[in-house]
């Protein structure tokens, strides 16, 4: 079992950078995929980025590709989302998720993940 806890959200201006962290507990982090999703008010939860259990494979949503970078440190059971060139439309609650997901297609789906953090708010002003 993996229990994610997000941190690092906050207020930013357009063009700024933020780095989100995902701290996990449990002994199985290195064997599970990790992903970031986001949800804006009134909208469905949206895929942002995912990485395989060993970090060898990464995948990004079209709206963040080239601006965001997902990474993980299995030794310290941590995951990260580096967000650069932030835009107002990036404003949302960001969630870290983890589970035994192996196919690229499944990595983009919220229903593929059992373990979720409580979310961290990111607000980007213009």
């Amino acid at each position: 079992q993996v229990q994610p806890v997000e941190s690092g959200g906050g207020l930013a201006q357009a063009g700024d950078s933020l780095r989100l962290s995902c701290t996990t507990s449990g002994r199985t982090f290195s064997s599970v995929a990790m992903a970031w999703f986001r949800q804006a008010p009134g909208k469905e939860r949206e895929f942002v980025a995912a990485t395989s259990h060993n970090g060898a494979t990464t995948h990004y949503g079209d709206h963040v590709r080239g601006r965001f970078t997902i990474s993980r440190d299995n030794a310290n059971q941590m995951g990260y989302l580096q967000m650069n060139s932030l835009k107002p439309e990036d404003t949302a609650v960001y969630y870290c998720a983890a589970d035994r997901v192996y196919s690229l297609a499944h990595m983009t789906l919220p229903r593929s993940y059992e373990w979720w953090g409580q979310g961290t708010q990111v607000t980007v002003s213009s």
Side-chain angles (χ1 to χ4, degrees):
Q1 184 173 354
V2 175
Q3 183 55 56
V5 177
E6 305 92 340
S7 62
L11 300 176
Q13 293 189 332
D16 283 353
S17 297
L18 283 175
R19 189 176 82 153
L20 304 183
S21 297
C22 178
T23 304
T24 68
S25 60
R27 301 181 180 180
T28 60
F29 180 68
S30 61
S31 65
V32 300
M34 185 195 75
W36 290 93
F37 291 83
R38 69 187 185 187
Q39 190 166 18
K43 295 187 177 182
E44 293 186 354
R45 195 161 294 191
E46 178 182 53
F47 171 72
V48 174
T51 178
S52 58
H53 69 286
N54 59 3
T57 302
T58 58
H59 186 52
Y60 296 93
D62 291 340
H63 44 284
V64 305
R65 187 176 294 113
R67 299 189 296 123
F68 291 10
T69 302
I70 189 171
S71 61
R72 63 190 298 160
D73 177 356
N74 282 349
N76 292 301
Q77 297 187 259
M78 295 286 297
Y80 303 97
L81 184 69
Q82 178 67 41
M83 306 186 295
N84 298 331
S85 302
L86 283 164
K87 303 176 181 180
E89 51 263 44
D90 293 321
T91 295
V93 177
Y94 283 72
Y95 297 91
C96 177
D99 209 333
R100 292 180 175 86
V101 185
Y102 301 106
S103 77
L104 190 58
H106 288 151
M107 281 184 182
T108 68
L109 302 175
R111 66 174 184 263
S112 298
Y113 298 86
E114 178 179 356
W115 301 307
W116 291 84
Q118 82 290 347
T120 185
Q121 176 71 46
V122 172
T123 303
V124 184
S125 62
S126 58

